[in-house]
Amino acid sequence: MFPTSTGLWAPLWVGERAVTSWIALGARARGGVRYAGIRLPRAATASRVLRRRHALVRTSGSGRDNSASSASTRRAKLSSTDSG
C-alpha cells in the first residue's frame, strides 16, 4: 500500500513534530498566538462550550444569535490583556 521508503521518513517526521510542539508550547506561554492584532489563547473552543452556547441561543427566545457582539467583546478583552 505504501512505498518501502516511507519508513525512512519517520525520523524526520518525529523531529518535525518535536520542533513544532516546542514552538506551540512557547506560544502558549506567551499568552497565545498573535492573529489580526490580538492573541488567541487557544486553538479551538471545546465542544461542550459550543453546545452550551447553542442551547442558550435556542432557548433565549429572541431567535437571534448575538455572536457578533460577543465576539467583539471577546476581542476587546483579549486585546486589553495583550502584552506584546
Side-chain angles (χ1 to χ4, degrees), residues 21-47:
S21 294
W22 281 109
I23 291 170
L25 286 172
R28 175 75 175 194
R30 288 188 311 273
V33 178
R34 290 189 59 81
Y35 177 76
I38 62 171
R39 287 206 181 267
L40 299 176
R42 60 186 175 277
T45 304
S47 296

Side-chain angles (χ1 to χ4, degrees), residues 8-76:
L8 299 175
W9 291 100
L12 183 63
W13 176 79
V14 170
E16 180 264 341
R17 296 295 292 183
V19 168
T20 55
S21 294
W22 281 109
I23 291 170
L25 286 172
R28 175 75 175 194
R30 288 188 311 273
V33 178
R34 290 189 59 81
Y35 177 76
I38 62 171
R39 287 206 181 267
L40 299 176
R42 60 186 175 277
T45 304
S47 296
R48 62 183 159 77
V49 173
L50 293 174
R51 279 195 289 287
R52 188 179 327 130
R53 280 187 202 158
H54 183 68
L56 289 173
V57 169
R58 293 180 91 193
T59 60
S60 69
S62 68
R64 290 183 32 193
D65 183 4
N66 294 328
S67 60
S69 62
S70 61
S72 62
T73 303
R74 282 193 303 275
R75 274 195 296 275

